[in-house]
Amino acid sequence: MYDYDLLVVGSANADLVVRVERRPAAGETVLGSDLAVHPGGKGANQAVAAARLGARTALLARVGDDGHGRLLLDAQRTAGVDTVGVLVGGAPTGVALITVDPSGDNSIVVSPGANGRLAPEDVRAAGSLFQASRVVSTQLEIPLESVVEVVRSLAAGSRLVLNPSPPRPLPREVLAACDPLIVNEHEARVIAGDDLGESPEDWATALLALGPRSVVITLGAAGALVAERAGARVRVPSVRVAAVDTTGAGDAFTAALAWRLGRGESLPEAAGYAARVGAAAVTRAGAQESFPTAEEVAAL
């Protein structure tokens, strides 16, 4: 019935990465490693992560007609992603400036570039991709009005997965379509306000009251919490690994969860698998380069 297990609508960035002994404070300069350039962006990352796991994946995004854009397209095609929905031109390719410290934690500044020109009319023009996709995943590195159009373009019976990053308040129309809404604590507080309560279970209750059909709260090394409107709150453990670089791990988690939901797994089952994928991703440097195959996840 579906040509694609997953359609990802979102950003494609060139990641410019420098490793530092510690991240600089305001007004401070620190020396870092040689600059490394990698394909990235939340949308492109999710598409590659899903394809590497074996999902039939398509990407709807916009890149510039430049070297960074060609790098991103090559990376998608190499991973097996269908790039028929990737538009070229209108602005320079988006860029993410990333510093990574010895613990693997990162700080990121994004220049959206062409991602900011992925317009609602581009989403409407890709209607055939939505009709052909079992699950649609999106993020907030593209204009919010385009995310609203994604919701309006969903095929009957398909499922929307949203990771609202970078976070901002969301219209009720978008929240009501999320199944699930995937957030960390910071994203939860931006969307629902600071009065969330003390525990992740409290955060989930506050978020569900805003309208999503389900919520997944990522808790780093502690795994994740899964919450559905009519179901119990379920803690999903992570896998203990030595973290090298957390860049892109959340994108790998989201892509894996979306794919497994499309295969008919329950939300706790899909989140459990996604936690293993995210754990595998942090054991290697980089974003897309770190994403595991299904065989590597099974061996974890």
Side-chain angles (χ1 to χ4, degrees), residues 81-240:
V81 176
D82 190 336
T83 59
V84 66
V86 179
L87 307 168
V88 179
T93 299
V95 172
L97 309 175
I98 304 173
T99 59
V100 183
D101 71 18
S103 73
D105 285 336
N106 60 63
S107 296
I108 305 174
V109 176
V110 175
S111 171
N115 297 306
R117 276 72 165 186
L118 185 67
E121 52 265 33
D122 298 326
V123 176
R124 287 192 292 271
S128 60
L129 285 177
F130 287 90
Q131 294 300 316
S133 301
R134 185 185 305 272
V135 179
V136 177
S137 179
T138 191
Q139 324 82 35
L140 298 184
E141 287 185 338
I142 59 174
L144 183 58
E145 57 266 28
S146 299
V147 175
V148 172
E149 195 61 40
V150 167
V151 170
R152 295 172 179 173
S153 300
L154 294 171
S158 65
R159 188 165 187 164
L160 179 72
V161 175
L162 172 64
N163 173 219
S165 179
R168 60 183 295 180
L170 294 170
R172 191 163 187 86
E173 179 181 5
V174 171
L175 286 166
C178 295
D179 193 15
L181 176 73
I182 302 177
V183 294
N184 58 25
E185 180 181 358
H186 170 63
E187 292 156 356
R189 292 190 182 281
V190 171
I191 292 168
D194 287 328
D195 190 21
L196 282 178
E198 296 298 323
S199 70
E201 286 79 5
D202 293 334
W203 311 341
T205 298
L207 288 165
L208 285 171
L210 298 177
R213 301 176 190 180
S214 59
V215 170
V216 175
I217 298 175
T218 57
L219 302 170
L225 173 76
V226 171
E228 298 176 271
R229 283 185 189 171
R233 281 41 171 168
V234 178
R235 291 272 188 155
V236 176
S238 187
V239 178
R240 291 184 179 274

